[in-house]
Amino acid sequence: LWPPKGAVRSAQPCGSLRPARPAAISGGRNRRKIGGLAIMSTESACPLTARDYKSELKPVWCPGCGDFSVLMAITKAMADVGRRPEEIAVISGIGCSSRVPAYTNCYGFHGVHGRALPLATGLKLSRPDLLVIAAGGDGDGYSIGGNHFLHACRRNVDLTYIVMDNQVYGMTKGQPSPTTPPEWDSALVPGGTGLRPFHPLVIALAAGANFVARSFSGDPANTAQMIVEAIRHPGFSLLEILSPCVTFRPEERDWAKQVHPAAVDETSDRARAARRVLTDDGFNTGILFRGDRAPYQPSVNLEVVSSVDFETEFQP
């Protein structure tokens, strides 16, 4: 299990885990303003590549899982954005896709089931200088985490939520998830659930998400670009990534033949975007909605407090 002694794992400086490569020795330190606060940002003295954002842990996903490509896209996007690993935090809940923080070389928090978004929200509000990414799956995000999903969209805090949707609970052996088609027949649910699936993109639009997009894990270059766009757009960004589970949904291998770029351009009209999503075939990829809501960010005090002073406040 990761991590062996707790849920929080620190970021490693560029190149520090790989002695064979030049280390990221400190460059200059720039003072920049975020939310009215003066934040110190350290520049990297070595070019950042996707490899700098990968941990030494080997992913344990099933061979052929779409999440391998998503992880590759995430690290490539981080390099393209250019923020140092120690300036990024990846937060997750529970599930196959929620292992992502362990495989990145950034700050990471592997939380409990369905709670990635409140953790990510609290972190971003208290540390607006960090780039915060939440990662998870359709079960974690839309079932037990469904209420948090709605209010994260509503609050519009400046963070990115990456959901790897395979329409099944893969880690717990193939139960139907909120996005599973009602007719999907399996040994656990013979004949299917008969239940209408959850429609995350429409829900996100209705709840107030500021950026909504869809991509396919089989196209990691495009997925990486979608992640970059989501990160750079202010406010709450949702990126749904169709990521096949070849173990419990082998028929999803055919998604590679079904996905296609959206035939229409992105829009800033929320109602128009919702109509498009409701009438598409579920395999349109690209940016569907790019809004202009101002992100929510209350003023915070980033004064450095010593651990001794902090403990004193709680002593009787």
Side-chain angles (χ1 to χ4, degrees):
L1 295 177
W2 172 89
K5 295 183 179 180
V8 181
R9 195 259 292 95
S10 298
Q12 299 295 326
C14 167
S16 65
L17 292 179
R18 306 169 186 91
R21 303 181 68 237
I25 324 176
S26 63
R29 291 181 66 86
N30 291 336
R31 181 179 294 272
R32 56 197 174 91
K33 288 277 189 175
I34 297 182
L37 301 170
I39 306 299
M40 299 303 293
S41 175
T42 305
E43 295 179 353
S44 173
C46 68
L48 294 168
T49 68
R51 189 166 178 261
D52 290 307
Y53 297 90
K54 296 177 181 178
S55 76
E56 292 187 328
L57 295 179
K58 183 178 179 180
V60 295
W61 295 312
C62 300
C65 176
D67 293 353
F68 283 102
S69 294
V70 177
L71 175 62
M72 180 169 60
I74 289 173
T75 56
K76 183 180 185 305
M78 289 176 175
D80 289 346
V81 170
R83 296 288 297 273
R84 290 168 57 94
E86 61 268 32
E87 296 178 332
I88 303 173
V90 184
I91 313 298
S92 71
I94 296 296
C96 296
S97 52
S98 291
R99 296 178 181 273
V100 165
Y103 305 141
T104 64
N105 187 32
C106 310
Y107 281 104
F109 193 102
H110 195 174
V112 295
H113 204 5
R115 304 302 189 257
L117 286 176
L119 284 167
T121 299
L123 176 60
K124 184 62 180 181
L125 292 179
S126 60
R127 287 291 305 274
D129 55 309
L130 292 177
L131 191 165
V132 178
I133 297 172
D138 42 303
D140 181 68
Y142 306 143
S143 183
I144 191 170
N147 191 50
H148 294 303
F149 174 63
L150 293 174
H151 292 288
C153 295
R154 178 178 69 89
R155 293 186 182 101
N156 197 35
V157 172
D158 187 20
L159 61 90
T160 298
Y161 189 30
I162 297 173
V163 181
M164 286 149 267
D165 189 352
N166 55 19
Q167 302 179 2
V168 72
Y169 282 97
M171 195 177 76
T172 52
K173 311 307 179 187
Q175 300 93 332
S177 81
T179 57
T180 302
E183 69 279 0
W184 182 62
D185 182 61
S186 69
L188 294 175
V189 187
T193 64
L195 299 174
R196 181 176 180 176
F198 189 81
H199 205 317
L201 302 187
V202 175
I203 297 298
L205 288 166
N210 213 32
F211 178 97
V212 178
R214 181 193 286 138
S215 66
F216 173 53
S217 64
D219 187 355
N222 178 259
T223 296
Q225 184 57 41
M226 290 295 99
I227 295 172
V228 170
E229 294 286 344
I231 289 173
R232 288 178 174 167
H233 192 76
F236 183 83
S237 297
L238 171 67
L239 175 60
E240 176 186 70
I241 303 178
L242 300 175
S243 182
C245 175
V246 297
T247 299
F248 295 104
R249 300 280 316 261
E251 69 276 12
E252 290 179 348
R253 296 176 190 271
D254 290 338
W255 282 1
K257 303 174 184 177
Q258 296 172 275
V259 295
H260 52 89
V264 293
D265 295 331
E266 65 183 69
T267 179
S268 59
D269 185 323
R270 196 174 297 272
R272 186 181 181 190
R275 287 193 295 271
R276 288 177 176 177
V277 176
L278 280 171
T279 56
D280 77 9
D281 59 1
F283 292 99
N284 283 296
T285 59
I287 299 172
L288 305 172
F289 174 77
R290 194 193 295 264
D292 57 2
R293 291 180 63 205
Y296 174 69
Q297 178 60 61
S299 298
V300 294
N301 181 10
L302 293 187
E303 178 186 358
V304 177
V305 180
S306 71
S307 59
V308 175
D309 293 338
F310 182 77
E311 292 172 0
T312 301
E313 294 185 16
F314 294 91
Q315 292 177 354

Short mmCIF file of all heavy atoms in Angstrom, two decimals, residues 45 98 143 173 210 214:
data_model
loop_
_atom_site.label_atom_id
_atom_site.label_comp_id
_atom_site.label_asym_id
_atom_site.label_seq_id
_atom_site.Cartn_x
_atom_site.Cartn_y
_atom_site.Cartn_z
N ALA A 45 16.30 25.22 -12.46
CA ALA A 45 17.54 25.44 -13.19
C ALA A 45 17.75 24.38 -14.26
O ALA A 45 18.74 24.42 -14.98
CB ALA A 45 18.72 25.42 -12.21
N SER A 98 -7.53 6.45 -8.69
CA SER A 98 -7.12 7.27 -7.55
C SER A 98 -5.71 6.94 -7.08
O SER A 98 -5.22 7.55 -6.13
CB SER A 98 -8.11 7.10 -6.40
OG SER A 98 -9.36 7.68 -6.72
N SER A 143 -20.61 8.70 -7.32
CA SER A 143 -21.48 7.93 -6.41
C SER A 143 -21.34 8.48 -5.00
O SER A 143 -22.02 9.42 -4.63
CB SER A 143 -21.12 6.44 -6.48
OG SER A 143 -21.99 5.69 -5.67
N LYS A 173 -13.97 -5.34 -8.58
CA LYS A 173 -14.34 -6.53 -9.34
C LYS A 173 -15.58 -6.42 -10.21
O LYS A 173 -16.29 -7.40 -10.40
CB LYS A 173 -14.46 -7.75 -8.43
CG LYS A 173 -13.27 -7.95 -7.49
CD LYS A 173 -11.95 -7.95 -8.26
CE LYS A 173 -10.76 -8.12 -7.32
NZ LYS A 173 -9.46 -7.97 -8.01
N ASN A 210 -16.76 25.84 -14.56
CA ASN A 210 -16.34 26.91 -15.46
C ASN A 210 -15.65 26.41 -16.72
O ASN A 210 -15.39 27.18 -17.65
CB ASN A 210 -15.39 27.86 -14.72
CG ASN A 210 -15.53 29.29 -15.19
OD1 ASN A 210 -16.62 29.72 -15.58
ND2 ASN A 210 -14.44 30.04 -15.15
N ARG A 214 -14.00 16.73 -22.67
CA ARG A 214 -13.93 15.26 -22.69
C ARG A 214 -12.80 14.84 -23.60
O ARG A 214 -12.57 15.44 -24.66
CB ARG A 214 -15.26 14.67 -23.19
CG ARG A 214 -15.25 13.13 -23.22
CD ARG A 214 -16.44 12.59 -24.03
NE ARG A 214 -17.70 12.73 -23.32
CZ ARG A 214 -18.84 13.13 -23.90
NH1 ARG A 214 -18.85 13.49 -25.18
NH2 ARG A 214 -19.96 13.20 -23.20
#
